[in-house]
């Protein structure tokens, strides 16, 4: 025990604080003013950027921008395919990442190993997760290109990504055009251009050789109508009747192979589709979700676990009924931040998708796509000022979607929040 009578006198002796205390107080005040100044400058820069974007973007906000497709004319250009691509990517990424991330965090935090070897493996995994959170996203893009797009060439030639080695839900046709599409044969006659589709069993089958009376299909709106194709020998005199030219094809015609893919179309390797993009974004945000979930689980008082174990609950029952419900607010907060990062990511999507001029929304998991950051980047890279205004409008739409995602997550978090006592 120390003798208090030997300690130096504490506090001011003449009504003023000691010199050392005044110096520390001045340092504290200067540091506080520095923090306030930096925060004020940061907020002012953010407000200035938002005002500039709103000033340029609000005049171009219209249904054409939301529901239109990319066009060469800025007045007709829209970003509907990019909006739908962003929704597809983020929804898939959330559905895949959240269960995996939360389950991994629960395993690492609530079921810690007891043996030395398992503890060493645990520490290695924990260290790697912490390091992966700081890896640049472009690295994840390259990893996704190898792991998901070409799947390490296990299912085909990696130099030709998208060449499916196995697929389901696709129907292939050989497409012929009628003789009426050739202006030299119609000689001024107005003959409609028609396309005849001949089904083929496999994508690798040789091209169909035209034969007289060949059965084919013609696309009539949303359905295929069977037609009988007349084949005209190129060594004989060409017909001049518009009806024959309309329903006939050249005997030496070489078809083009096209495909029709159902909503459940799936292929291996995955190719540059929506699923590969979502899996790549999963790599980007998975470490963030794991770490934030672990922090949320650590914030749950241990007395709750002890109490549940004390009344006979199993460890899994403790996790499912006590720990996870109590940690949901923290988990949702981390998930919101992670999804916000995923919505704005450009580099990995640019590597995976590659194409930024898409005129249709994704129809299935393997379909090509574009996302809003890529569309905005495309518009900002053009020299015309009108496209720059469209980019500002696109940023406003992107912020609106981001805030909508966050609002939904906040509502879910508030509804599932329960008191810890």
């Amino acid at each position: 025990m120390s003798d208090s009578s030997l300690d130096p006198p504490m506090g001011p002796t003449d009504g003023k604080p000691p010199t050392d205390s005044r110096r520390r107080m001045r340092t504290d005040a200067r540091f506080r003013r520095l923090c306030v100044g930096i925060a004020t400058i940061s907020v002012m820069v953010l407000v200035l950027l938002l005002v500039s974007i709103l000033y340029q973007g609000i005049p171009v906000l219209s249904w054409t921008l939301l529901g239109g497709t990319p066009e060469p004319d800025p007045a007709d250009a829209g970003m509907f395919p990019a909006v739908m691509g962003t929704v597809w990517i983020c929804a898939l990424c959330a559905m895949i990442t959240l269960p995996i991330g939360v389950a991994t965090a629960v395993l690492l935090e609530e079921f810690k190993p007891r043996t030395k070897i398992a503890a060493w493996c645990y520490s290695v995994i924990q260290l790697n997760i912490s390091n992966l959170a700081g890896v640049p996203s472009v690295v994840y893009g390259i990893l996704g290109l190898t792991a998901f797009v070409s799947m390490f060439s296990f299912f085909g030639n990696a130099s030709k990504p998208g060449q499916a080695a196995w697929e389901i839900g696709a129907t292939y046709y050989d497409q012929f055009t009628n003789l009426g599409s050739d202006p030299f044969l119609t000689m001024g006659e107005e003959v409609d251009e028609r396309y005849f589709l001949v089904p083929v069993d496999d994508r690798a089958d040789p091209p169909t050789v035209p034969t007289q009376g060949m059965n084919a299909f013609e696309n009539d709106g949303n359905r295929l109508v069977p037609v009988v194709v007349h084949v005209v020998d190129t060594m004989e005199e060409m017909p001049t009747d518009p009806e024959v030219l309309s329903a006939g094809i050249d005997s030496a015609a070489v078809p083009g192979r096209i495909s029709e893919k159902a909503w459940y179309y799936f292929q291996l390797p995955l190719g540059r589709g929506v699923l590969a993009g979502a899996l790549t974004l999963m790599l980007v945000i998975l470490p963030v979700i794991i770490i934030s979930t672990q922090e949320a689980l650590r914030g749950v008082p241990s007395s709750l676990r002890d109490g549940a174990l004390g009344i006979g609950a199993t460890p899994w029952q403790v996790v499912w009924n006590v720990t996870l419900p109590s940690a949901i607010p923290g988990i949702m907060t981390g998930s919101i931040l992670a999804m916000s990062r995923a919505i704005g990511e450009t580099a990995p999507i640019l590597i995976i998708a590659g194409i930024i001029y898409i005129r249709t929304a994704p129809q299935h998991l393997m379909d090509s796509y574009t996302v809003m950051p890529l569309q905005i980047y495309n518009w900002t890279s053009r020299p015309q000022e009108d496209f720059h205004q469209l980019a500002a409008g696109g940023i406003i739409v992107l912020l609106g979607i981001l805030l909508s995602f966050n609002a939904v997550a906040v509502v879910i978090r508030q509804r599932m929040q329960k008191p810890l006592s």
Side-chain angles (χ1 to χ4, degrees):
M1 296 180 61
S2 62
D3 188 357
S4 59
S5 62
L6 300 178
D7 294 336
M10 300 297 291
T13 57
D14 55 353
K16 295 182 180 179
T19 305
D20 183 62
S21 297
R22 290 199 298 270
R23 185 168 54 251
R24 287 191 288 112
M25 292 174 64
R26 286 196 298 270
T27 303
D28 179 74
R30 284 195 295 269
F31 179 73
R32 191 183 309 144
R33 286 195 292 270
L34 177 64
C35 293
V36 172
I38 293 175
T40 303
I41 293 174
S42 302
V43 172
M44 290 177 62
V45 171
L46 178 61
V47 171
L48 183 63
L49 290 174
L50 288 176
V51 170
S52 174
I53 291 171
L54 293 175
Y55 177 77
Q56 296 183 60
I58 288 180
V60 300
L61 287 179
S62 64
W63 290 114
T64 302
L65 178 65
L66 292 175
T69 58
E71 303 289 346
D73 186 358
D76 300 329
M79 57 189 315
F80 179 73
V83 172
M84 294 306 299
T86 299
V87 173
W88 269 77
I89 286 287
C90 293
L92 272 176
C93 181
M95 287 189 292
I96 298 172
T97 310
L98 289 180
I100 296 176
V102 173
T104 304
V106 169
L107 176 64
L108 294 176
E109 198 62 31
E110 299 294 327
F111 299 93
K112 291 184 178 179
R114 299 178 180 177
T115 62
K116 288 186 177 179
I117 297 178
W120 180 81
C121 295
Y122 169 86
S123 61
V124 170
I125 294 173
Q126 188 67 52
L127 178 64
N128 279 281
I129 290 174
S130 303
N131 291 332
L132 286 174
V135 173
S137 58
V138 66
V139 176
Y140 288 112
I142 297 172
L143 179 60
L145 185 68
T146 304
F148 303 127
V149 175
S150 61
M151 302 193 79
F152 302 101
S153 303
F154 288 156
F155 300 96
N157 189 353
S159 63
K160 297 180 179 179
Q163 294 292 325
W166 178 84
E167 59 186 359
I168 185 173
T171 305
Y172 287 92
Y173 299 94
D174 276 345
Q175 178 176 270
F176 295 90
T177 56
N178 62 335
L179 290 171
S181 61
D182 190 340
F184 294 101
L185 297 179
T186 56
M187 301 299 289
E189 295 287 344
E190 293 186 1
V191 180
D192 292 335
E193 186 176 22
R194 301 170 61 183
Y195 297 95
F196 304 115
L197 305 176
V198 180
V200 294
D201 295 330
D202 189 79
R203 179 188 60 188
D205 287 353
T208 302
V209 178
T211 57
Q212 189 63 37
M214 181 173 62
N215 293 320
F217 294 93
E218 190 175 14
N219 196 348
D220 182 17
N222 296 325
R223 61 192 183 95
L224 295 179
V225 179
V227 295
V228 178
V229 178
H230 301 284
V231 179
V232 179
D233 192 345
T234 55
M235 301 304 292
E236 299 178 354
E237 185 178 356
M238 287 292 169
T240 57
D241 185 357
E243 293 293 334
V244 177
L245 291 174
S246 175
I249 63 174
D250 193 338
S251 61
V254 178
R257 184 147 297 175
I258 63 173
S259 64
E260 182 179 271
K261 295 173 180 174
W263 62 268
Y264 56 87
Y265 175 72
F266 188 83
Q267 70 173 30
L268 290 176
L270 300 180
R272 298 178 181 272
V274 177
L275 184 58
L279 290 172
T280 303
L281 283 184
M282 178 198 71
L283 298 179
V284 176
I285 68 173
L286 187 60
V288 179
I289 291 182
I290 294 175
I291 294 174
S292 62
T293 303
Q294 285 185 283
E295 293 297 332
L297 293 173
R298 289 169 189 161
V300 179
S302 57
S303 58
L304 295 178
R305 299 182 180 87
D306 297 337
L309 292 172
I311 61 176
T314 63
W316 169 244
Q317 288 175 326
V318 173
V319 169
W320 184 253
N321 297 309
V322 178
T323 311
L324 268 182
S326 303
I328 278 183
I331 295 174
M332 292 301 297
T333 302
S335 302
I336 291 171
L337 296 176
M339 290 307 303
S340 301
R341 179 182 178 184
I343 293 174
E345 280 292 347
T346 305
I349 297 298
L350 184 61
I351 294 176
I352 296 298
I355 309 170
I356 57 176
Y357 186 75
I358 301 291
R359 292 178 55 84
T360 58
Q363 304 297 317
H364 49 78
L365 294 179
M366 304 291 114
D367 206 355
S368 301
Y369 68 97
T370 184
V371 292
M372 297 179 67
L374 289 185
Q375 187 62 63
I376 294 170
Y377 169 75
N378 176 263
W379 281 339
T380 55
S381 63
R382 298 193 179 189
Q384 296 92 336
E385 183 64 25
D386 292 341
F387 281 113
H388 296 172
Q389 294 182 351
L390 284 178
I395 292 174
I396 295 176
V397 176
L398 179 60
L399 289 176
I401 293 178
L402 175 63
L403 294 177
S404 300
F405 271 59
N406 291 352
V408 172
V410 168
V411 170
I412 295 175
R413 185 184 64 181
Q414 294 297 330
R415 287 183 176 275
M416 302 185 70
Q417 190 170 11
K418 296 181 180 178
L420 297 180
S421 60

